[in-house]
């Protein structure tokens, strides 16, 4: 399996640190508002990776954090904690805000078919580990205290690691000079020695609600500390994969690399993976741009930019139809196309489920086992090539054509091959892509009754045709067509689909 490593800017053969086991850390949400489409993309991307690694037989420890402290406005080192600000405005305890939006995030993820991580640590539950991380960085000379706050000395770190793969900026491709130039107009502002330095610990102002005692002050950890501290706690000083959105490459993941090296003398992560952005009219979708659509709004259709409601599986399919490293631009047309594509897979699933006992049609070509094996091999090849889910979907659509040919009785299939084709769909569409193709338990019963009613009407139509009652036969066909049913007459009887 090859994955694209942001650190080396190339696809690399994946070799886990420990045979048969994978440690994976993914940056989770900051829980001060409802999850939007931009949050769905990393969740679905790394859910796909989680599922595929498990399919390959790995035992995966998947850690995805909840940021419930230390994330300041505009991701800067000054300002108000986003959760504390929301709590103040709504006159709530900050943990009420964090818990409320954590619950809603997890509910939305469940609807999208995202498997829960192995561990979901909260930043507020790991203050001791973050204080210890800051202490280690200070002991190694890469941080300094200023008025009760502690800052990472970026210039000293960069000087000591210049010309090595551990220099500051290695992940994003930036140099310290670039970073200095970008922030030159802010020089001399605040208590930092240099503007490029970032907060490891912040002294809380008197009005700040979320605070903890530390050797330096009553305060709270900087945003970047939590992932380094929690990743190390649950996955060790070195682990395999760290994931997140591309917007986290700088400064968040860049700072994580520096923190790990400064505290333990070596990098923590072997493969850095980043999904690209969801855009809307070409601009990144996000709360800071005020152009986002929440997942609950997608599910209900309650947003001026939405022409209709979109089911969670349509959203999942929409995201999987693009490679995770490519940009995806939101549009109603694209979502409606995804809705049709997903329905195409569902119709094929139903059809092959009905054909699982095999089908003999005299004089027609037979679908061979080699066809199914070749299709499975192509799906594996696509996933092994940096999780190329769009290619997997294209191969499943190829299978749809074959299944439609079988449904139209223009081909034969043995029970063994039919079962293999059904298993191919179950493995790749359901288990790995995570698409729900079957109706939920309650609706499955309704769908069965619904299908039975249509079959009954087609039997009545068949009897009318036998009796040469063409008027009744045509009436049943035309009225079913008006309701959205496609009826096909074959020499072995009528078939239908919605």
């Amino acid at each position: 399996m090859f994955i694209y490593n942001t650190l080396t800017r190339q696809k690399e053969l994946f070799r886990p640190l420990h045979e048969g086991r994978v440690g994976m850390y993914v940056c989770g949400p900051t829980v001060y508002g409802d999850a939007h489409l931009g949050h769905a993309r990393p969740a679905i991307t790394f859910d796909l990776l989680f599922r595929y690694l498990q399919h390959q037989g790995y035992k995966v420890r998947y850690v995805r954090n909840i940021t419930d402290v230390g994330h300041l406005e505009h991701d800067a080192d000054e300002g108000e904690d986003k959760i504390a600000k929301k709590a103040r405005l709504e006159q709530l305890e900050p943990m009420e805000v964090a818990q409320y939006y954590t619950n809603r995030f997890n509910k939305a993820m469940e609807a999208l078919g995202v498997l829960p991580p192995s561990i979901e640590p909260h930043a507020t539950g790991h203050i001791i580990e973050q204080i210890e991380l800051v202490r280690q960085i200070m002991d190694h000379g890469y941080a300094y205290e200023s008025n009760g706050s502690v800052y990472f000395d970026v210039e000293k770190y960069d000087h000591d690691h210049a010309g090595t793969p551990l220099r500051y900026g290695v992940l994003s491709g930036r140099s310290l000079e670039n970073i200095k130039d970008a922030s030159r107009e802010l020089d001399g502002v605040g208590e930092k020695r240099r503007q490029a330095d970032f907060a490891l610990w912040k002294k809380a102002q008197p009005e700040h609600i979320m605070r903890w005692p530390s050797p330096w002050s009553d305060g709270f950890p900087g945003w970047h500390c939590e992932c380094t501290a929690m990743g190390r706690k649950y996955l060790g000083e070195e682990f395999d994969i760290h994931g997140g959105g591309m917007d986290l490459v700088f400064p968040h993941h860049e700072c994580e690399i520096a923190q790990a090296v400064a505290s333990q003398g070596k990098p923590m992560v072997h493969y850095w993976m980043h999904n690209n952005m969801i855009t809307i009219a070409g601009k990144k979708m996000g709360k800071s741009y005020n152009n986002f659509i929440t997942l609950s709004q997608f599910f209900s259709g309650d947003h001026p930019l939405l022409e209709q409601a979109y089911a969670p599986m349509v959203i999942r399919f929409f995201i999987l139809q693009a490679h995770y490293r490519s940009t995806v631009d939101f549009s109603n047309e694209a979502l409606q196309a995804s809705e049709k594509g997903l329905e195409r897979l569902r119709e094929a699933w139903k059809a092959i489920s009905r054909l699982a006992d095999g089908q003999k049609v005299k004089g027609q070509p037979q679908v061979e086992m080699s066809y199914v094996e070749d299709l499975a091999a192509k799906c594996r090849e696509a996933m092994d090539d940096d999780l190329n889910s769009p290619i997997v979907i294209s191969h499943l659509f190829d299978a749809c054509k074959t299944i439609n040919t079988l449904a139209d009785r223009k081909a034969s299939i043995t029970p063994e091959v039919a079962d293999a084709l059904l298993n191919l769909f179950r493995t790749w569409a359901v288990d790995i892509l995570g698409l729900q193709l079957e109706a939920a338990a309650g609706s499955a019963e309704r769908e069965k009754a619904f299908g039975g009613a249509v079959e009954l009407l087609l039997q009545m139509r068949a009897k009318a045709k036998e009796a040469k009652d063409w008027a009744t036969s045509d009436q049943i066909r035309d009225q079913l067509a008006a309701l959205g049913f496609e009826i096909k007459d074959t020499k072995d009887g009528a078939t239908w689909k919605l």
Side-chain angles (χ1 to χ4, degrees):
M1 176 184 176
F2 285 81
I3 56 177
Y4 185 87
N5 190 349
T6 308
L7 189 66
T8 59
R9 291 166 183 75
Q10 63 184 10
K11 291 180 191 177
E12 295 180 5
L13 178 64
F14 177 64
R15 290 192 179 96
L17 280 162
H18 306 287
E19 189 176 351
R21 294 174 178 267
V22 175
M24 180 168 78
Y25 188 100
V26 175
C27 290
T30 303
V31 284
Y32 68 100
D34 273 335
H36 56 70
L37 194 61
H39 294 117
R41 192 164 197 198
I44 290 170
T45 295
F46 293 101
D47 181 63
L48 177 67
L49 177 60
F50 184 33
R51 287 169 178 270
Y52 190 56
L53 288 169
Q54 288 180 314
H55 170 74
Q56 290 180 304
Y58 290 110
K59 183 171 183 181
V60 185
R61 179 176 288 176
Y62 175 18
V63 181
R64 188 185 67 209
N65 70 297
I66 295 289
T67 297
D68 55 0
V69 69
H71 209 321
L72 303 186
E73 292 178 274
H74 313 299
D75 302 336
D77 286 330
E78 304 296 333
E80 193 170 2
D81 184 291
K82 291 177 179 179
I83 292 169
K85 180 179 180 180
K86 186 91 171 178
R88 178 175 55 78
L89 292 172
E90 298 186 12
Q91 296 186 315
L92 295 169
E93 167 66 35
M95 285 298 103
E96 281 184 273
V97 173
Q99 189 65 57
Y100 176 78
Y101 287 112
T102 298
N103 292 346
R104 288 178 66 82
F105 173 80
N106 286 331
K107 189 176 179 182
M109 293 304 106
E110 185 180 358
L112 289 169
V114 172
L115 299 173
S118 315
I119 303 172
E120 189 177 61
H122 291 229
T124 53
H126 297 79
I127 300 297
I128 292 171
E129 288 84 357
Q130 293 177 76
I131 289 173
E132 181 58 26
L133 172 70
V134 176
R135 196 198 308 270
Q136 289 170 353
I137 295 171
M138 291 189 81
D139 288 348
H140 291 137
Y142 291 111
Y144 57 90
E145 183 182 350
S146 177
N147 299 324
S149 294
V150 180
Y151 294 94
F152 191 94
D153 192 335
V154 173
E155 194 160 294
K156 182 178 190 309
Y157 174 87
D158 190 66
H159 176 269
D160 290 355
H161 297 90
T164 77
L166 304 178
R167 69 172 183 80
Y168 190 75
V170 65
L171 188 67
S172 61
R174 303 184 186 207
S175 68
L176 187 55
E177 290 307 312
N178 296 147
I179 297 162
K180 284 179 181 176
D181 290 343
S183 57
R184 186 158 284 159
E185 68 276 8
L186 298 174
D187 279 353
V189 176
E191 57 198 12
K192 297 188 282 189
R193 290 177 186 168
R194 287 167 288 272
Q195 195 59 35
D197 297 347
F198 58 87
L200 297 172
W201 185 265
K202 288 289 290 180
K203 180 181 179 180
Q205 297 305 310
E207 68 277 7
H208 200 98
I209 312 170
M210 303 176 82
R211 59 173 67 216
W212 291 265
S214 81
W216 315 287
S217 65
D218 277 8
F220 53 93
W223 168 35
H224 310 303
C225 287
E226 61 180 283
C227 293
T228 306
M230 293 190 292
R232 185 163 66 183
K233 178 179 176 67
Y234 295 111
L235 298 173
E237 289 189 351
E238 290 182 75
F239 58 87
D240 299 298
I241 298 169
H242 194 319
M246 201 170 279
D247 56 331
L248 297 178
V249 171
F250 187 89
H252 186 48
H253 290 164
E254 197 75 76
C255 294
E256 277 196 63
I257 290 175
Q259 287 173 163
V261 174
S263 64
Q264 64 185 32
K266 61 183 177 183
M268 201 161 61
V269 179
H270 283 223
Y271 300 88
W272 287 90
M273 295 180 69
H274 296 90
N275 63 273
N276 213 321
M277 300 294 100
I278 299 276
T279 58
I280 183 163
K283 190 174 184 179
K284 177 196 165 187
M285 181 180 285
K287 290 175 183 170
S288 56
Y289 296 105
N290 200 31
N291 66 347
F292 63 94
I293 305 172
T294 68
L295 292 172
S296 59
Q297 287 171 328
F298 273 105
F299 303 159
S300 68
D302 185 21
H303 191 282
L305 290 175
L306 297 174
E307 293 177 3
Q308 63 178 78
Y310 296 99
M313 280 300 113
V314 172
I315 301 297
R316 186 179 182 101
F317 189 74
F318 168 68
I319 288 171
L320 291 172
Q321 273 192 302
H323 189 269
Y324 78 91
R325 286 192 291 112
S326 65
T327 305
V328 176
D329 198 52
F330 156 80
S331 72
N332 281 282
E333 293 76 16
L335 280 166
Q336 286 158 12
S338 294
E339 193 170 50
K340 288 176 183 174
L342 179 61
E343 189 56 34
R344 188 176 166 195
L345 290 180
R346 283 177 167 162
E347 288 295 331
W349 170 266
K350 286 183 211 169
I352 193 59
S353 298
R354 290 195 294 266
L355 292 168
D357 292 333
Q359 173 178 282
K360 291 182 181 178
V361 184
K362 205 169 182 180
Q364 295 293 354
Q366 185 164 294
V367 178
E368 302 289 346
M369 186 66 82
S370 58
Y371 166 77
V372 182
E373 291 169 347
D374 182 55
L375 213 52
K378 287 177 179 177
C379 289
R380 277 194 303 274
E381 184 182 358
M383 282 298 289
D384 284 342
D385 184 17
D386 196 31
L387 305 183
N388 205 328
S389 58
I391 299 298
V392 174
I393 290 171
S394 73
H395 293 318
L396 290 172
F397 281 155
D398 186 300
C400 288
K401 292 178 190 173
T402 301
I403 292 167
N404 289 339
T405 303
L406 288 163
D408 292 342
R409 301 189 66 81
K410 292 177 181 174
S412 294
I413 194 166
T414 65
E416 293 77 17
V417 178
D419 194 47
L421 195 50
L422 182 63
N423 282 333
L424 177 119
F425 258 75
R426 185 179 291 113
T427 297
W428 293 98
V430 179
D431 296 343
I432 294 172
L433 294 184
L435 298 170
Q436 184 186 320
L437 299 184
E438 289 182 337
S443 58
E445 292 173 5
R446 289 194 295 273
E447 191 171 294
K448 186 177 179 182
F450 170 82
V454 176
E455 292 289 353
L456 180 62
L457 283 168
L458 291 179
Q459 287 170 22
M460 291 169 64
R461 179 170 173 263
K463 286 180 180 177
K465 287 174 76 174
E466 283 176 22
K468 297 189 175 3
D469 182 358
W470 308 119
T472 301
S473 169
D474 290 348
Q475 182 186 19
I476 293 172
R477 181 199 62 205
D478 294 344
Q479 289 193 3
L480 283 172
L483 291 169
F485 291 91
E486 183 182 314
I487 309 299
K488 282 187 181 178
D489 287 311
T490 74
K491 63 181 180 180
D492 298 295
T495 62
W496 67 272
K497 68 177 180 180
L498 189 61

